[in-house]
Amino acid sequence: MNRQIARLSLIATLLILVLAVFTARWSVIDATALKNEPLNRRPLLEQQQIPRGLILARDNSKIAENRHVGTHQNKRYYRVYPQNNVFSHAAGYAFVSRGSSGLEQSQNDVLSGTAGDLGSFFDEIAGGPSQGDDIKTALDPEAQKTAISALAGRQGAIVAMDPRSGAVQVMASQPDYNPNDIPAKFAELNRQSNSPLFNRATQGQYPPGSTFKVVTAAAGLDSGKYTPDSQISGKNNKVISGVPLQNFGGENFASISLTDALTHSVNTVFGEMGEKLGKKTMFDYMTRFGFNAKPPLDYPRSQMFASGEYKNGKLLDANSPSVDVGRMAIGQDKLQVTPLQMAMVASAVANGGKLMRPHMVEKVVGPDGRTKDTIGSDEQSRVMSEKSASELNQMMRHVVESGTGTAAQLQGIQVAGKTGTAEAPGGFNDAWFIAFAPADNPKVAVAVVVEHAQQSQTGGEVAAPLAAQVMRVLLRRNG
Amino acid sequence: MGARGRELFGLLPVTLMITAGFTAVLISQTSGSQINKVTLTYGGIFLGACLIGHIFIRARLPHADPYLYPLAALMTAFGLVEIYRIDQSLAWKQAVIFGIGLGFFCVTIMLLRDIRVLERYRYTIAIIGILLLLAPRLPGIGKQVNGAYLSVGVGSFQFQTAEFAKIAIVIFLASYLNDVRDVLVRGRLPRISMKHLGPMLVIWGAAMLMLVVIRDLGSSIMFFGAFLALLYIATNRLSLVLPALAAFLGGAWFFANSTPHVQDRVDSWLHPFSQKLYDMPGGSYQLAQSLFSQADGGLFGRGFGEAMLTQTNGQPIVPAAHTDLIYAVIVNEVGLFGGIGLLITYLLFVSRGFKTATLASDGFSKLLAAGLSAVFALQVFVIVGGVTKVIPLTGVTLPFVSYGGSSVVANFVLLALLLIVSDRARRGRYAESGGLMR
């Protein structure tokens, strides 16, 4: 019997060898494929094992911080947003169960400490638990709260930035949500018809209305074809692109200066300008302002929209026969723009024609308190000459002094701006206002859009006062 | 060095291993503040318990194989460290169970001065074995876990009867085949009467019944595999073994295609990453998580205490980490090298078991030792093979390592039986060789 026993012993050895080979297969040979398997949530869960970096506001108040459950190797961190709804769209959220959005998404590598593989490799060798880096943003809680309460529950958005640096200080979008509710209520929030998860400031697609006349005016002045004093006919029902165009309220103007035309937002003047300048020039200046591409903001690209002329969901270029340049010049036609883009327009004029790259993150701070990276201000584009910008600045002051935007006036501070009233579906208006202040040394630029204004209400009445409130707070703080 | 000296010497690395293991887990869990007192206490208590067993063997079975006991202690130590790491409260219970196991070990050795006594009670033992197998299916005391009927429970007390049934059935088979082997070896196939083939058909039927009634492929492979091994040893006739194997595979194939429960198990085995099977209760979730945790371990593992076992909400990532899937957690923590190290420990244990069988002088002892070794090896194959996707995953414990009272106690009884056979087998030779027997 011993021979059979020896053979069985051999079979047992072979069976155990098979087990060893299969263990090698899963633990080493196929390990990478298994780690990439979509059902494998370990990589996500691993991110919970290190505390994510904080997101700080301009005043160092915490926008996002961590709590933990468990102890030692069972310790798991999760996100808490102490300011609740205030920065829901700007900062976004990050949860293992629901993914991430906003800064939490775009800055994930920094916040989770996975930026730079070399660093984490040495961390691992050193054996210390790695930790994410904090980010300090330009977001201003007081101005942000002012913007939210100014919108007073109406759907819309407000974006404010420092034109000198491009730092985005306010990004408010209504309705909003409480990011702390995301794990429990994501499906419900996602279903709501007023889309609280949708960031209108960067994704909202609005016709810009007359605020776009600032772009047309910039193109006219900077191309040398017009001056603020150029006399143009403001006749009602002037034929533009073969179709008569009406002024607001059917008002008839004789030959008036470009400055007066902007002050009173005369459609026919800007319609004619657009036609005379032509598509190529208009598109050139639009692109300089940042249109026709997603903004270079440090925000997830999937949550930003490229402003421009759209047909069937496709961005049109200057060669497209579908572009009605006369109506585009007054902010109608097929224009779809975001509040962020219009804040960039105001910002470029305010900063002497130089558009600064918009950004929210100012500094990256390591766990040891050391500043690892400072995001300086850099130029996105030279939109127009300093001379043209200064002329346009003067023209926009008239709008607030004596034109359609008087509701944006501030005590003792000169404001420059432009109103917009765009027809929205369902017989409502989208009320717009873009502005900057102080006009002679701008420290803040802002864009406001309020949806669903009544047909009789204009941007000057509905949106301009909101811009004034936000600017007043930011001017006090921007010093 | 004599046999018992080698055995004692073998316990030293085991004690070092458990002390080092607890140290590693404690460093990971408490930043090292409790290392001194706790680990040395653990190591000391464990060494003390092992020494009691060793002294008992020295007194009662002085000639027994010197390696089996330290190997079992090594596996127990490995299991205790891993269970302590998974759940401290379970480790305390497991330590108590280890003590009870040692108690049963000693009692078995005391009661069975002569192993051949068992032959006299073979039918009683067979009936007890079958009852133990069927008990989980009985209403009132049977418990269904993951679709399989594996344990009986009275109140909070749970008892995995198959662990003891495997020993009873091997005892019966060894005794029965020892009796009829002459007929089976000499008889020409057509002449072998139903009187002798009958019991074998009964055993085949029982294996099939286990598959359907108890719904446990793992136990079914273990029992039928042990039967085939013993049939082969007893008769050396592949003309008997191969048809039996074919009958088993045919039956298994038939049930895999006709019984929904078995069918789902097979599908989950072949396609663990199918979303549908992954989400299905009792589907491929376990196997997928097992493979993910092995992938996470890599060559050297994360280190004792470092594998990820729970999510934020405290829910486990790896289900049944302390029982069925403990091998996956071990590979996660000590890597491919640790996993293979453990497999080598099992291989050595099984080899010593078969070696004991070859040394035994009487047929029953040979068959018993070989059968126990085979069933032990098959149990390792069924659970590790299930966890590593060699065969469909079924709930069987990893001997000496998994948490569980029935498993540890039953395996210590199995160890006691092997040592009893071994002592007798080597006693004669020890005398013949003038005390120089290795």
Side-chain angles (χ1 to χ4, degrees):
Chain A
M1 293 202 275
N2 282 356
R3 213 172 42 184
Q4 291 91 292
I5 293 172
R7 279 187 197 141
L8 270 185
S9 187
L10 183 67
I11 290 173
T13 308
L14 289 177
L15 285 182
I16 287 176
L17 185 66
V18 169
L19 299 179
V21 168
F22 269 73
T23 306
R25 179 176 166 195
W26 308 122
S27 64
V28 178
I29 301 164
D30 284 355
T32 312
L34 285 169
K35 281 175 187 162
N36 293 331
E37 168 60 45
L39 288 172
N40 192 349
R41 300 201 319 129
R42 281 170 179 268
L44 272 176
L45 293 166
E46 236 157 58
Q47 286 195 357
Q48 294 187 309
Q49 290 185 315
I50 59 158
R52 207 173 159 78
L54 304 175
I55 300 179
L56 301 171
R58 186 185 180 193
D59 61 356
N60 283 325
S61 65
K62 289 169 186 160
I63 296 176
E65 58 178 330
N66 306 299
R67 297 267 188 285
H68 69 83
V69 291
T71 51
H72 307 298
Q73 99 279 20
N74 287 321
K75 209 171 195 174
R76 298 285 180 277
Y77 294 90
Y78 61 93
R79 268 308 207 205
V80 166
Y81 301 92
Q83 313 205 25
N84 297 319
N85 294 39
V86 175
F87 290 107
S88 54
H89 290 290
Y93 55 82
F95 292 104
V96 165
S97 56
R98 294 296 178 193
S100 58
S101 76
L103 283 175
E104 289 274 36
Q105 184 183 340
S106 63
Q107 305 302 306
N108 186 56
D109 285 353
V110 173
L111 293 168
S112 64
T114 49
D117 280 327
L118 207 62
S120 56
F121 173 73
F122 282 119
D123 284 347
E124 214 155 277
I125 295 279
S130 58
Q131 199 174 335
D133 295 330
D134 298 345
I135 55 174
K136 170 98 181 274
T137 67
L139 294 165
D140 188 305
E142 194 186 338
Q144 177 85 8
K145 284 179 207 160
T146 304
I148 291 169
S149 61
L151 281 165
R154 291 169 290 181
Q155 296 189 9
I158 298 179
V159 175
M161 50 203 276
D162 185 331
R164 300 165 295 183
S165 64
V168 175
Q169 296 168 326
V170 169
M171 181 184 278
S173 170
Q174 289 290 310
D176 54 21
Y177 61 93
N178 187 338
N180 295 307
D181 291 342
I182 285 290
K185 294 191 186 159
F186 181 82
E188 186 189 325
L189 289 165
N190 209 17
R191 265 199 312 273
Q192 283 177 24
S193 58
N194 61 1
S195 315
L197 296 177
F198 181 75
N199 185 359
R200 287 162 168 77
T202 57
Q203 291 174 284
Q205 299 157 33
Y206 300 98
S210 300
T211 55
F212 194 77
K213 287 170 185 164
V214 173
V215 175
T216 308
L221 295 171
D222 200 54
S223 63
K225 290 182 178 150
Y226 293 88
T227 69
D229 300 324
S230 296
Q231 297 290 310
I232 307 156
S233 159
K235 196 172 59 145
N236 197 29
N237 279 327
K238 203 155 75 169
V239 174
I240 301 293
S241 308
V243 183
L245 182 68
Q246 285 83 40
N247 285 327
F248 188 77
E251 260 188 296
N252 233 327
F253 295 90
S255 197
I256 58 167
S257 72
L258 192 55
T259 300
D260 286 346
L262 192 75
T263 307
H264 299 291
S265 203
V266 181
N267 286 344
T268 48
V269 168
F270 285 91
E272 183 190 313
M273 270 180 80
E275 276 200 305
K276 294 240 168 92
L277 289 168
K279 292 180 188 176
K280 202 176 163 301
T281 307
M282 282 300 293
F283 268 76
D284 177 28
Y285 278 90
M286 282 164 69
T287 303
R288 294 189 196 188
F289 272 113
F291 287 82
N292 301 321
K294 289 189 177 181
L297 184 69
D298 43 6
Y299 200 73
R301 288 188 62 75
S302 61
Q303 289 167 53
M304 288 195 288
F305 176 77
S307 302
E309 286 263 294
Y310 279 85
K311 189 180 179 189
N312 298 331
K314 285 233 175 80
L315 195 58
L316 301 178
D317 60 24
N319 302 319
S320 169
S322 301
V323 174
D324 176 346
V325 70
R327 279 177 179 71
M328 184 183 85
I330 61 165
Q332 295 183 3
D333 198 38
K334 300 167 188 70
L335 275 174
Q336 293 189 328
V337 307
T338 64
L340 171 64
Q341 176 58 62
M342 294 318 288
M344 288 160 70
V345 169
S347 180
V349 179
N351 196 38
K354 194 161 75 174
L355 174 62
M356 304 308 287
R357 190 179 55 77
H359 61 273
M360 283 194 269
V361 179
E362 303 254 74
K363 251 193 326 191
V364 174
V365 182
D368 52 358
R370 189 170 48 91
T371 299
K372 283 187 163 179
D373 194 10
T374 307
I375 292 86
S377 41
D378 42 56
E379 186 180 322
Q380 179 178 337
S381 62
R382 166 55 74 175
V383 179
M384 63 193 120
S385 70
E386 226 165 297
K387 178 171 163 288
S388 307
S390 136
E391 289 168 352
L392 191 47
N393 181 322
Q394 288 291 342
M395 289 162 65
M396 288 170 71
R397 292 185 202 191
H398 283 281
V399 173
V400 178
E401 267 167 24
S402 58
T404 53
T406 51
Q409 288 171 4
L410 289 174
Q411 186 83 44
I413 299 164
Q414 198 162 30
V415 177
K418 181 69 194 88
T419 56
T421 310
E423 283 175 27
F428 291 102
N429 284 337
D430 288 335
W432 275 97
F433 195 70
I434 65 172
F436 53 87
D440 53 357
N441 179 24
K443 290 170 180 164
V444 57
V446 64
V448 177
V449 66
V450 180
E451 296 174 22
H452 284 97
Q454 295 302 314
Q455 215 159 15
S456 57
Q457 291 184 305
T458 63
E461 293 158 15
V462 176
L466 278 54
Q469 287 178 48
V470 172
M471 287 194 294
R472 190 189 304 127
V473 173
L474 276 178
L475 283 175
R476 199 174 68 229
R477 295 173 65 92
N478 286 6
Chain B
M1 197 186 286
R4 296 280 73 73
R6 266 177 277 159
E7 183 175 272
L8 185 59
F9 195 67
L11 289 174
L12 286 178
V14 175
T15 308
L16 285 178
M17 145 86 206
I18 197 166
T19 309
F22 274 109
T23 307
V25 174
L26 280 168
I27 286 175
S28 151
Q29 297 197 339
T30 64
S31 320
S33 56
Q34 303 180 29
I35 291 170
N36 292 333
K37 41 185 201 288
V38 176
T39 57
L40 291 179
T41 312
Y42 274 106
I45 292 174
F46 190 80
L47 180 64
C50 288
L51 281 178
I52 292 170
H54 165 74
I55 290 165
F56 197 83
I57 299 169
R58 193 176 270 271
R60 305 300 293 255
L61 308 170
H63 308 291
D65 186 285
Y67 303 111
L68 283 167
Y69 181 71
L71 286 168
L74 181 62
M75 294 182 255
T76 308
F78 212 100
L80 273 175
V81 171
E82 205 51 55
I83 291 164
Y84 180 77
R85 175 262 173 286
I86 292 164
D87 185 337
Q88 297 194 4
S89 62
L90 288 182
W92 285 116
K93 289 188 196 163
Q94 182 79 348
V96 172
I97 290 164
F98 169 60
I100 296 172
L102 272 181
F104 270 78
F105 173 79
C106 298
V107 167
T108 309
I109 292 172
M110 286 209 305
L111 291 181
L112 288 175
R113 303 221 55 164
D114 186 348
I115 197 86
R116 287 166 299 184
V117 174
L118 292 173
E119 281 194 279
R120 251 185 278 157
Y121 303 105
R122 68 169 172 238
Y123 287 106
T124 316
I125 289 171
I127 288 163
I128 291 172
I130 288 167
L131 283 179
L132 284 173
L133 269 185
L134 294 178
R137 199 60 159 116
L138 297 177
I141 57 168
K143 292 258 162 80
Q144 191 185 17
V145 180
N146 285 337
Y149 296 88
L150 294 174
S151 58
V152 296
V154 180
S156 64
F157 182 75
Q158 291 242 342
F159 188 62
Q160 294 215 317
T161 51
E163 297 281 355
F164 293 93
K166 80 184 176 199
I167 296 175
I169 302 258
V170 166
I171 293 171
F172 165 74
L173 285 173
S175 157
Y176 172 77
L177 286 168
N178 187 43
D179 247 24
V180 300
R181 61 185 283 258
D182 288 348
V183 183
L184 293 175
V185 169
R186 293 196 200 103
R188 296 245 295 278
L189 263 188
R191 298 252 187 93
I192 296 176
S193 68
M194 275 314 287
K195 185 183 154 201
H196 298 111
L197 275 180
M200 276 180 264
L201 287 174
V202 168
I203 289 161
W204 174 77
M208 289 298 114
L209 207 66
M210 251 163 12
L211 210 54
V212 182
V213 177
I214 304 163
R215 301 187 178 177
D216 184 23
L217 178 70
S219 303
S220 170
I221 291 178
M222 276 164 55
F223 290 111
F224 206 71
F227 164 63
L228 290 181
L230 288 178
L231 186 63
Y232 174 67
I233 295 170
T235 64
N236 192 25
R237 287 184 74 163
L238 288 175
S239 57
L240 286 175
V241 174
L242 292 180
L245 181 63
F248 178 77
L249 292 178
W253 183 83
F254 174 76
F255 286 122
N257 285 294
S258 62
T259 315
H261 170 77
V262 179
Q263 213 172 347
D264 286 347
R265 276 281 156 112
V266 172
D267 282 347
S268 298
W269 167 51
L270 294 174
H271 312 287
F273 304 136
S274 132
Q275 184 78 48
K276 187 175 136 270
L277 292 166
Y278 185 82
D279 292 335
M280 191 172 74
S284 63
Y285 179 81
Q286 264 199 322
L287 178 58
Q289 291 305 328
S290 162
L291 300 182
F292 293 153
S293 59
Q294 290 175 67
D296 193 46
L299 209 51
F300 299 106
R302 293 252 161 175
F304 270 131
E306 299 291 337
M308 195 185 340
L309 295 176
T310 52
Q311 309 176 20
T312 319
N313 55 12
Q315 289 296 307
I317 301 169
V318 183
H322 58 294
T323 54
D324 298 0
L325 259 58
I326 197 163
Y327 182 75
V329 179
I330 288 171
V331 173
N332 196 166
E333 301 216 318
V334 290
L336 176 61
F337 276 88
I340 288 182
L342 184 61
L343 291 178
I344 289 175
T345 312
Y346 281 115
L347 181 59
L348 290 174
F349 186 89
V350 170
S351 304
R352 292 314 294 184
F354 281 122
K355 175 83 180 164
T356 298
T358 57
L359 293 179
S361 49
D362 64 296
F364 172 66
S365 297
K366 269 187 191 301
L367 287 168
L368 180 62
L372 291 174
S373 305
V375 84
F376 187 89
L378 281 166
Q379 182 164 352
V380 173
F381 182 75
V382 163
I383 186 56
V384 178
V387 165
T388 55
K389 200 175 171 281
V390 180
I391 56 168
L393 177 59
T394 55
V396 177
T397 56
L398 188 58
F400 291 114
V401 174
S402 284
Y403 173 78
S406 325
S407 169
V408 169
V409 172
N411 284 312
F412 268 104
V413 171
L414 184 149
L415 174 66
L417 294 177
L418 280 178
L419 289 177
I420 294 167
V421 171
S422 173
D423 178 61
R424 188 182 157 79
R426 296 164 64 103
R427 192 188 303 152
R429 291 171 189 249
Y430 185 81
E432 281 165 24
S433 62
L436 288 172
M437 169 72 193
R438 284 181 66 80

